[in-house]
Amino acid sequence: MDVFKQMSFKELMKVLGLGTVAFVLGVEWLNWLTRRLRDSRGPLKEVLFFPSPQVCVEHLFTSHRSFPCACPFPHGIQTSFSRLLEHLLSARTSLEMCIFSFSNMEMSRAILLLHKRGVVVRVVTDRDYMTITGSQIGALRKAGISVRHEMSSAVHMHHKFALVDGRKLISGSLNWTLTAVQSNKENVIITEEPELVRPFQQEFLKLWEASDPANLKLQSKNGQIKK
Amino acid sequence: MDVFKQMSFKELMKVLGLGTVAFVLGVEWLNWLTRRLRDSRGPLKEVLFFPSPQVCVEHLFTSHRSFPCACPFPHGIQTSFSRLLEHLLSARTSLEMCIFSFSNMEMSRAILLLHKRGVVVRVVTDRDYMTITGSQIGALRKAGISVRHEMSSAVHMHHKFALVDGRKLISGSLNWTLTAVQSNKENVIITEEPELVRPFQQEFLKLWEASDPANLKLQSKNGQIKK
């Protein structure tokens, strides 16, 4: 500390300035290194397994908190479910979802938050399962999110995938329900591998067009196509 | 042709010999080139979408056929389902399956064929769904294939994945049923990406151990653990 005392103000400023520059360069270098390491392993490839223990995920929804969260669940623990929410909430421009069954409240909260932030959300779902008890499809529609559904009731739209910003695929066995997340043995693959993302983009567009209500040919009771 | 007539037998043999060597080298070079092209795109990454039209898949089961197949389905057409069967039938040493619902006859035929060829097949399935109408789990057990199931009836073993020779992952939304293959909107990812395969290997081993009947603590009616 004596060395600082003997320095003139000017010298002190010089040392502080150089120190700050060195610090910023150091952080930049570390950033560059982590990006290089991550890129050297190629695009993101991650697998999440469920069931996932219940933990607090409030921090994912409210970035600034003036007071500690009072909920009874363990805090500060990352689980498969919190990772899944993080990936969903990383959307900045678009989120396309092909979801067979959707009743998980926290996932619904995440989708509604993205919509509020201006992310363009589009959903294709199953004609029967969109009306199951606790389905969140109504809440999405109420908020103004475009939701379409499989036209035929003889088949199921059984996909459970989402595309974040058109470049990150989230897909697996997991239906977006509380039971799937907290009880069943399930998997979700998350990847940015273009060879895996592109086919799902095409599949989404195909199903989106095929379930366009405008294509719905109204059939009168005797099966005649109404113009 | 005159040039061959003027050649002595010895010269003819020389030309034929050189020609054969050149041909073999050419084929080898082409093989090397296709492998290099395939490898340059990194490990296998393929996506199959369903429903898949019904076509003849007999050729996948019987390599040598003395007479054309007489079945009514279109022949010589590759579909998502025939690709899926090809991947399954590519197993040479082991096949691990975590399957929620398994009633598709042709997939059962493929698994039984692999077992007959000496591939070590291990299956984990769901306690409730293994007894649905048309379930093929009984047929696998009857053939001597080791099948274990989720112990608890409160949760579902909802995975639909398989691991071929411990290096190729087959996973998605598709249950191994006729309806899923021929009617529903479904997806299957097939990849040899180690970062995606390894976690599923660990998950299979975890579930295989957890559903070991030896760990089953027999509970008498009053809930006492029988020794």
Side-chain angles (χ1 to χ4, degrees):
Chain A
M1 282 317 284
D2 298 347
V3 88
F4 281 112
K5 275 183 199 141
Q6 289 143 16
M7 277 189 189
S8 71
F9 180 72
K10 216 173 139 203
E11 279 161 346
L12 189 65
M13 281 304 110
K14 222 191 272 177
V15 164
L16 278 178
L18 283 172
T20 316
V21 166
F23 175 74
V24 165
L25 285 176
V27 167
E28 274 312 306
W29 182 75
L30 266 176
N31 260 334
W32 172 82
L33 195 69
T34 14
R35 264 200 315 274
R36 276 302 302 267
L37 273 173
R38 198 192 55 206
D39 290 352
S40 68
R41 282 176 39 210
L44 167 72
K45 293 179 273 288
E46 187 176 347
V47 184
L48 301 174
F49 289 110
F50 295 79
S52 183
Q54 195 162 3
V55 295
C56 177
V57 287
E58 200 53 37
H59 61 288
L60 298 177
F61 292 102
T62 41
S63 42
H64 52 277
R65 287 198 64 75
S66 42
F67 47 88
C69 170
C71 85
F73 303 119
H75 290 76
I77 298 175
Q78 192 177 61
T79 63
S80 290
F81 184 57
S82 66
R83 269 304 277 164
L84 179 57
L85 284 176
E86 277 172 49
H87 281 298
L88 283 174
L89 288 166
S90 71
R92 292 289 169 270
T93 54
S94 66
L95 179 70
E96 283 104 27
M97 295 159 46
C98 263
I99 295 298
F100 173 58
S101 179
F102 182 28
S103 59
N104 187 294
M105 299 293 287
E106 277 154 341
M107 296 181 88
S108 175
R109 188 178 169 197
I111 308 305
L112 293 170
L113 180 60
L114 290 174
H115 175 66
K116 224 167 113 193
R117 287 180 185 163
V119 171
V120 176
V121 180
R122 293 186 291 172
V123 181
V124 176
T125 189
D126 181 75
R127 177 177 167 141
D128 301 335
Y129 270 66
M130 71 181 187
T131 55
I132 58 167
T133 317
S135 169
Q136 290 299 301
I137 295 297
L140 300 192
R141 277 191 160 142
K142 221 170 118 198
I145 291 174
S146 332
V147 177
R148 294 181 180 177
H149 60 78
E150 168 63 48
M151 294 292 192
S152 145
S153 59
V155 304
H156 277 315
M157 202 304 294
H158 197 241
H159 287 307
K160 312 102 172 19
F161 73 80
L163 288 156
V164 174
D165 294 338
R167 57 169 182 72
K168 183 191 290 185
L169 169 68
I170 298 173
S171 183
S173 68
L174 186 87
N175 287 312
W176 292 15
T177 66
L178 195 67
T179 313
V181 167
Q182 292 189 357
S183 312
N184 292 349
K185 305 290 180 347
E186 305 273 5
N187 65 77
V188 173
I189 290 178
I190 297 165
T191 184
E192 291 173 345
E193 277 284 356
E195 281 177 83
L196 295 177
V197 172
R198 261 194 307 265
F200 279 89
Q201 283 177 314
Q202 288 151 8
E203 175 75 356
F204 177 82
L205 290 178
K206 194 183 92 181
L207 297 182
W208 180 255
E209 292 311 324
S211 47
D212 184 346
N215 300 338
L216 194 68
K217 290 193 179 58
L218 291 180
Q219 288 196 331
S220 62
K221 286 214 176 68
N222 57 21
Q224 291 295 329
I225 308 284
K226 281 195 198 172
K227 287 278 173 282
Chain B
M1 281 320 277
D2 297 346
V3 86
F4 281 112
K5 274 183 199 146
Q6 286 146 10
M7 278 189 188
S8 71
F9 180 75
K10 214 172 142 202
E11 280 160 346
L12 190 67
M13 282 305 110
K14 221 191 269 173
V15 165
L16 279 180
L18 283 172
T20 318
V21 166
F23 175 75
V24 166
L25 284 176
V27 168
E28 276 310 308
W29 181 74
L30 267 176
N31 261 335
W32 171 82
L33 196 69
T34 19
R35 263 200 315 274
R36 276 302 301 265
L37 277 175
R38 199 192 54 208
D39 292 348
S40 66
R41 281 177 37 211
L44 168 72
K45 293 178 275 288
E46 187 176 347
V47 184
L48 301 174
F49 290 109
F50 295 79
S52 183
Q54 194 161 4
V55 296
C56 177
V57 288
E58 199 53 35
H59 60 290
L60 298 176
F61 292 102
T62 42
S63 44
H64 53 278
R65 288 198 64 79
S66 43
F67 46 87
C69 171
C71 83
F73 303 117
H75 289 76
I77 297 175
Q78 192 176 62
T79 62
S80 289
F81 185 57
S82 65
R83 270 303 276 163
L84 179 57
L85 283 178
E86 277 172 48
H87 281 299
L88 282 174
L89 289 166
S90 69
R92 291 291 168 273
T93 54
S94 67
L95 179 73
E96 282 102 30
M97 294 159 46
C98 263
I99 296 297
F100 174 59
S101 180
F102 182 28
S103 58
N104 187 295
M105 298 295 286
E106 278 156 340
M107 296 179 90
S108 177
R109 189 178 170 197
I111 308 305
L112 293 170
L113 181 60
L114 289 174
H115 175 66
K116 225 169 121 194
R117 287 179 184 163
V119 171
V120 176
V121 180
R122 295 187 290 173
V123 181
V124 177
T125 187
D126 181 73
R127 177 177 168 143
D128 300 334
Y129 271 67
M130 70 180 187
T131 55
I132 58 167
T133 316
S135 170
Q136 290 299 302
I137 295 297
L140 300 191
R141 277 191 160 142
K142 221 172 124 201
I145 291 173
S146 334
V147 177
R148 294 181 181 178
H149 60 79
E150 167 63 48
M151 293 293 192
S152 144
S153 58
V155 305
H156 277 313
M157 202 303 297
H158 197 242
H159 287 307
K160 315 101 172 23
F161 74 80
L163 288 157
V164 174
D165 295 338
R167 56 169 183 73
K168 183 191 291 184
L169 169 69
I170 298 173
S171 184
S173 69
L174 185 88
N175 286 315
W176 291 16
T177 65
L178 196 67
T179 314
V181 168
Q182 293 189 357
S183 314
N184 291 349
K185 304 293 183 339
E186 305 273 6
N187 64 77
V188 173
I189 290 177
I190 297 167
T191 184
E192 290 173 346
E193 278 284 355
E195 282 177 81
L196 295 178
V197 172
R198 262 193 308 264
F200 279 89
Q201 284 176 313
Q202 287 150 10
E203 176 75 357
F204 176 82
L205 289 177
K206 194 182 92 180
L207 297 183
W208 180 255
E209 292 312 324
S211 48
D212 184 347
N215 301 338
L216 195 70
K217 292 195 175 55
L218 294 178
Q219 289 196 330
S220 62
K221 285 213 177 67
N222 58 19
Q224 292 294 332
I225 308 282
K226 279 197 201 168
K227 288 278 169 283

